[in-house]
């Protein structure tokens, strides 16, 4: 796997900087005689309920990193659901300069503020690393009359009021944008789709199983267990190619809709972290990607490694903001 290492400080540079600061009697966050390390358990925030993509990433990475001993303190996952992520972000933003707070993130950190649903943007936090990507899955109950994504699109064109679609993020956020883009590419009007938001893909699929909605949109990893059990079927996935964990699910392009949408996921911290603190966590996550435990977990969940270090991840987020602003404007979502 090819990785571009951090543009801030490498682990060696962090060590040198910490030693120099200590020798000069200055600097904070670095222990005497060595680089910075956490001094207490790390609060690891998933800004949604259990069962969704954020929660899964937080719990998977915490377990692998602790078992692989790439972190010096326990990583305690805390769920802070609400507002499509905004509740969790507000919590972390209130702990500026606290190096013992991290949170998992994905496109909603850009999309939700653009939609006017959060006063905190990605610039209010410190990027640590981008880790993985996965596609969206458009799913229905096993007994649904909708057999293909084309069937779904045709129904939306004929009478959009007759179908409701659940997603694991707020209006104008991740699942909504992935749905709107696919619907628009299929020739339907995304603004007319009855979108029902939930806090996490797990809740969206639960609403589907309960008969409260006709279709659900969620990360492929969130759907695969119920696909295996036969409770739901996947109409299509949003990736360029089929995914190994859902081999029978066609891509949108195979279904006649020329659209692709990837969900990236990563980690951020509060504003004001020092270079040494960023370098510590950046190296820990980079080391995690080489662990056999991580590779097994990644493959089990159908994720793809998509590494970016802190500096590159920050530049990527800035570019995503511009790209998503255009998409939201095109589909009539941006506020």
């Amino acid at each position: 796997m090819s990785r571009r290492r951090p543009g801030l400080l490498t682990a060696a540079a962090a060590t040198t900087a910490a030693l120099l600061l200590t020798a000069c009697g200055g600097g904070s966050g670095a222990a005497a005689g060595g680089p910075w390390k956490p001094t207490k358990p790390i609060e690891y925030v998933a800004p949604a309920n259990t069962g969704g993509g954020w929660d899964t990433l937080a719990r998977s990475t915490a377990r692998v990193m602790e078992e692989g001993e790439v972190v010096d303190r326990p990583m305690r996952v805390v769920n802070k659901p609400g507002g499509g992520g905004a509740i969790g972000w507000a919590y972390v933003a209130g702990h500026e300069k606290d190096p013992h707070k991290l949170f998992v993130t994905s496109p909603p950190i850009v999309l939700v503020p653009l939609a006017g649903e959060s006063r905190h943007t990605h610039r209010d936090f410190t990027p640590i690393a981008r880790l993985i990507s996965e596609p969206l899955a458009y799913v229905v109950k096993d007994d649904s009359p909708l057999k293909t994504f084309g069937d779904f699109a045709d129904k939306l064109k004929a009478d959009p009021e007759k179908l409701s679609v659940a997603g694991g993020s707020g209006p104008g956020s991740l699942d909504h944008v992935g749905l709107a883009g696919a619907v628009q590419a299929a020739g339907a009007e995304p603004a007319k789709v009855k979108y029902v938001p939930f806090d996490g893909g797990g809740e969206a699929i639960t609403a589907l199983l309960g008969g409260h909605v006709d279709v659900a949109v969620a990360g492929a990893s969130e759907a695969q267990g119920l696909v295996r059990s036969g409770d739901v079927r996947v109409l299509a996935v949003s990736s360029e190619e089929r995914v190994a964990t859902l081999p029978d699910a066609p891509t949108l392009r195979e279904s006649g809709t020329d659209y692709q949408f990837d969900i990236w996921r990563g980690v951020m911290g509060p504003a004001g972290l020092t270079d040494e603190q960023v370098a510590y966590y950046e190296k820990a996550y980079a080391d995690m990607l080489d662990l056999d435990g991580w590779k097994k977990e990644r493959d089990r969940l159908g994720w793809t490694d998509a590494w970016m270090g802190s500096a590159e991840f920050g530049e990527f987020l800035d570019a995503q903001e511009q790209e998503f602003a255009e998409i939201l404007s095109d589909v009539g979502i941006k506020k």
Side-chain angles (χ1 to χ4, degrees), residues 251-268:
T251 67
L252 285 169
R253 287 191 173 124
E254 285 180 285
S255 306
T257 297
D258 189 14
Y259 183 73
Q260 180 183 342
F261 188 86
D262 291 320
I263 309 169
W264 55 264
R265 301 190 195 278
V267 182
M268 302 183 80

Side-chain angles (χ1 to χ4, degrees), residues 27-314:
S28 60
W36 182 87
K37 292 182 180 181
T39 57
K40 60 183 181 180
I42 300 150
E43 189 172 20
Y44 200 16
V45 176
N49 284 314
T50 58
W54 283 336
D55 180 72
T56 301
L57 180 65
R59 295 183 189 280
S60 298
T61 52
R63 181 174 63 254
V64 170
M65 292 173 81
E66 288 183 28
E67 291 175 352
E69 298 182 346
V70 297
V71 284
D72 293 271
R73 299 289 177 182
M75 301 184 74
R76 296 177 177 170
V77 177
V78 178
N79 294 90
K80 298 281 184 182
I87 299 299
W89 304 331
Y91 173 76
V92 175
H95 291 82
E96 187 175 347
K97 298 182 180 180
D98 184 348
H100 297 91
K101 298 280 191 297
L102 298 175
F103 69 99
V104 292
T105 190
S106 61
I109 191 65
V110 178
L111 288 163
V112 172
L114 284 174
E117 301 296 330
S118 172
R119 65 186 182 88
H120 295 292
T121 76
H122 70 277
R123 292 183 177 83
D124 295 315
F125 305 100
T126 302
I128 302 295
R130 192 183 80 167
L131 300 176
I132 58 103
S133 67
E134 69 169 321
L136 284 172
Y138 307 86
V139 303
V140 293
K141 288 179 67 175
D142 186 57
D143 60 358
S144 171
L146 302 175
K147 302 302 181 186
T148 68
F149 191 85
D151 292 343
F152 173 48
D154 288 343
K155 286 282 188 183
L156 288 177
K157 293 174 194 176
D159 194 351
E161 293 297 318
K162 289 287 181 66
L163 291 177
S164 56
V165 185
S169 62
S173 191
L174 175 65
D175 295 348
H176 194 189
V177 168
L179 170 68
V183 165
Q184 185 180 54
E189 294 186 51
K192 292 185 177 181
V193 176
K194 291 173 63 178
Y195 179 76
V196 185
F198 290 88
D199 277 322
E203 286 195 10
I205 295 176
T206 298
L208 174 69
L209 293 174
H212 305 295
V213 295
D214 303 291
V215 180
V217 184
S221 62
E222 298 168 308
Q224 65 184 26
L226 289 168
V227 172
R228 289 196 202 102
S229 67
D231 292 292
V232 302
R233 285 186 292 106
V234 181
L235 298 178
V237 291
S238 65
S239 49
E240 183 177 2
E241 299 178 350
R242 293 194 183 202
V243 293
T245 52
L246 297 170
D248 297 327
T251 67
L252 285 169
R253 287 191 173 124
E254 285 180 285
S255 306
T257 297
D258 189 14
Y259 183 73
Q260 180 183 342
F261 188 86
D262 291 320
I263 309 169
W264 55 264
R265 301 190 195 278
V267 182
M268 302 183 80
L273 298 189
T274 68
D275 287 350
E276 290 85 2
Q277 291 160 353
V278 172
Y280 173 87
Y281 286 119
E282 192 177 40
K283 183 179 184 302
Y285 282 103
D287 289 346
M288 180 199 75
L289 296 188
D290 289 329
L291 296 174
D292 288 339
W294 168 253
K295 294 172 184 176
K296 290 177 182 177
E297 191 75 352
R298 174 200 66 198
D299 293 345
R300 180 182 70 82
L301 292 165
W303 293 338
T304 300
D305 285 339
W307 172 264
M308 285 183 182
S310 176
E312 186 181 7
F313 187 25

Side-chain angles (χ1 to χ4, degrees), residues 107 110 114 262 264 315-325:
V110 178
L114 284 174
D262 291 320
W264 55 264
E315 293 170 0
F316 169 79
L317 290 168
D318 291 342
Q320 284 263 288
E321 184 178 56
Q322 181 175 351
E323 177 185 345
F324 285 152

